[in-house]
Amino acid sequence: MAQKKNSDRIVWREFGSQDAALERGQPDRPPAQHDLRIQCSRKGRGGKTVTIITGFQHRPETLASLCKKLKARCGSGGTVKDDTIEIQGDHRQTLLEALKGLGYGAKLSGG
């Protein structure tokens, strides 16, 4: 006789599977349809410079793989927060060239 899993022991569920209902729909646009802004910031980071790229409309998995490519290109660390990518250090020109090479529309922002 086959053993039942703990997830099969649900007594009552109002709306069926809620996993799909809680997932947020995220568009995954092609690179040419993005309007990205690249800027440097030190605020709230203990005086350390971070290059911030905003304006993405990708799924989290796509952003994570893009962040990995950009970190390797710059030779530094970084992270994905919400819909932005943060790369440690001032790499504005390197990131601008890398993103344009990948087909993204990107501009430098700030001074």
Side-chain angles (χ1 to χ4, degrees):
M1 187 164 153
Q3 293 182 353
K4 291 186 177 182
K5 297 178 184 176
N6 287 339
S7 63
D8 294 338
R9 297 178 60 186
I10 296 173
V11 177
W12 179 76
R13 186 179 287 171
E14 185 174 356
F15 294 110
S17 176
Q18 294 186 1
D19 296 336
L22 295 176
E23 288 183 15
R24 184 174 80 176
Q26 190 77 334
D28 203 11
R29 293 186 174 182
Q33 293 182 358
H34 285 83
D35 184 27
L36 304 180
R37 302 284 180 204
I38 303 171
Q39 65 181 2
C40 279
S41 175
R42 291 185 185 195
K43 294 182 180 178
R45 293 175 178 86
K48 308 232 175 172
T49 304
V50 175
T51 306
I52 303 170
I53 308 167
T54 59
F56 288 105
Q57 294 180 352
H58 278 309
R59 291 190 202 114
E61 306 85 36
T62 309
L63 273 180
S65 66
L66 179 62
C67 181
K68 186 173 181 175
K69 290 177 189 175
L70 295 176
K71 290 190 303 185
R73 177 79 184 259
C74 294
S76 65
T79 187
V80 176
K81 291 186 179 177
D82 297 326
D83 291 334
T84 64
I85 293 179
E86 296 181 0
I87 305 290
Q88 297 173 357
D90 185 1
H91 300 285
R92 288 179 288 187
Q93 289 298 326
T94 306
L95 291 172
L96 180 65
E97 293 168 6
L99 289 170
K100 287 195 175 192
L102 293 171
Y104 286 92
K107 294 181 181 178
L108 295 179
S109 177

